[in-house]
Amino acid sequence: AYTDLPKPVWHFDLYRIESPDELWELGLEEAFASGISLIEWPEKLESLHLKPRLTLHFETHTQPYHHAVKIS
């Protein structure tokens, strides 16, 4: 966690998570309660039905410096 900011920022890479029970062992509850969570592989959280949330979907293109971000 980056704690020297006004609110802590947490980063989670959920690629290797195999069950929802493993999510709480990572400290998700504390992260959600205290700051901002940046989550890779967020589809691993779908069974938890977390709301509200802001989703950023990054797309890369074949041309250098051409990228797209979809916000939902």
Side-chain angles (χ1 to χ4, degrees):
Y2 303 95
T3 56
D4 57 339
L5 302 169
K7 285 199 172 247
V9 176
W10 300 72
H11 172 252
F12 297 96
D13 183 345
L14 305 181
Y15 179 74
R16 290 187 171 82
I17 295 298
E18 294 181 10
S19 84
D21 293 334
E22 293 178 65
L23 297 169
W24 303 116
E25 294 174 16
L26 297 174
L28 281 180
E29 191 169 20
E30 178 186 355
F32 291 164
S34 67
I36 299 167
S37 298
L38 305 174
I39 302 172
E40 294 181 65
W41 300 89
E43 57 273 13
K44 304 278 186 152
L45 295 172
E46 290 299 319
S47 65
L48 302 178
H49 306 289
L50 300 172
K51 300 284 180 188
R53 69 179 183 199
L54 175 67
T55 301
L56 304 176
H57 177 77
F58 295 90
E59 296 179 5
T60 58
H61 295 274
T62 55
Q63 296 178 349
Y65 307 108
H66 287 91
H67 307 286
V69 178
K70 179 182 175 184
I71 301 172
S72 59

